[in-house]
């Protein structure tokens, strides 16, 4: 498994994002969808990572949008047949490490309440429930989570 920062505008990566949308869109009303498109994911303030299998196939992706006060996790997705192998955890760890190298110490995310496996993963990784942040409003379909990493002196 190789995880690296890559462009989201690649056919196999676009397919991952399309698969994520195909899964999530039917679950929630349109006003509760907060996914971002490829043009947003290509901005300089976005760290976009892809996990690839040993044969080079894109099996998971995710992004952190670096804002002034926090990094927002977006577009995390692992192909269903690849789940349960720790890929999402490794991808999340990679993204957080990349953001920390750029000075980010606080991470936030919004996910749907039906994404119970994702919520459990985030909890295991130290994320805690919080209220809406940024431009988000209270939404019964949304779960908001936050994690702060304390700086360590060397």
């Amino acid at each position: 498994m190789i995880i690296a920062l890559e462009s989201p505008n690649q056919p196999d990566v676009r397919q991952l994002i399309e698969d994520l949308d195909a899964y999530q869109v039917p679950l929630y009303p349109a006003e509760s969808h907060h996914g971002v498109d490829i043009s947003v994911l290509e901005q300089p303030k976005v760290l976009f990572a892809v996990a690839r299998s040993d044969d080079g196939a894109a099996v998971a992706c995710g992004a952190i949008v670096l804002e002034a006060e926090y990094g927002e996790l977006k577009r995390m997705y692992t192909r269903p047949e690849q789940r349960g192998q720790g890929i999402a955890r490794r991808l999340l760890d990679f993204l957080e490490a990349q953001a920390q190298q750029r000075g980010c110490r606080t991470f936030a995310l919004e996910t749907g309440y039906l994404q119970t496996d994702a919520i459990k993963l985030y909890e295991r990784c130290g994320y805690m429930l919080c209220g809406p942040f940024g431009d988000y409003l209270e939404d019964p379909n949304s779960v908001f989570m936050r994690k702060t990493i304390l700086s360590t002196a060397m």
Side-chain angles (χ1 to χ4, degrees):
M1 182 71 45
I2 297 170
I3 300 174
L5 295 177
E6 294 187 21
S7 168
N9 198 5
Q10 305 174 71
D12 57 349
V13 178
R14 284 195 312 269
Q15 186 61 56
L16 284 175
I17 294 168
E18 289 171 14
D19 292 349
L20 171 60
D21 286 341
Y23 168 69
Q24 287 183 333
V25 166
L27 295 176
Y28 306 103
E31 63 272 11
S32 294
H33 286 278
H34 304 290
V36 293
D37 64 22
I38 296 292
S39 65
V40 172
L41 296 174
E42 290 182 305
Q43 293 179 4
K45 69 177 186 173
V46 177
L47 304 174
F48 188 86
V50 178
R52 293 186 178 276
S53 62
D54 292 338
D55 65 359
V59 298
C61 65
I64 291 183
V65 179
L66 298 172
E67 302 292 352
E69 298 174 7
Y70 56 86
E72 182 180 357
L73 195 62
K74 300 293 282 183
R75 292 306 202 168
M76 286 288 290
Y77 181 72
T78 303
R79 291 197 179 285
E81 66 274 13
Q82 299 290 327
R83 294 179 186 160
Q85 300 177 47
I87 296 169
R89 173 78 183 243
R90 289 176 52 202
L91 181 62
L92 180 57
D93 289 346
F94 176 85
L95 282 165
E96 288 177 351
Q98 291 292 316
Q100 286 177 61
Q101 289 175 10
R102 291 158 177 82
C104 184
R105 297 285 181 262
T106 300
F107 303 97
L109 64 91
E110 179 277 336
T111 191
Y113 78 98
L114 296 173
Q115 267 60 46
T116 55
D117 288 341
I119 293 166
K120 289 176 188 174
L121 168 70
Y122 299 135
E123 287 173 338
R124 286 192 308 272
C125 292
Y127 285 78
M128 298 185 342
L129 296 174
C130 67
F133 59 90
D135 293 334
Y136 292 105
L137 302 174
E138 196 65 49
D139 182 339
N141 295 302
S142 291
V143 173
F144 302 99
M145 303 181 87
R146 184 175 292 264
K147 173 182 179 178
T148 299
I149 297 173
L150 301 175
S151 297
T152 55
M154 299 201 151

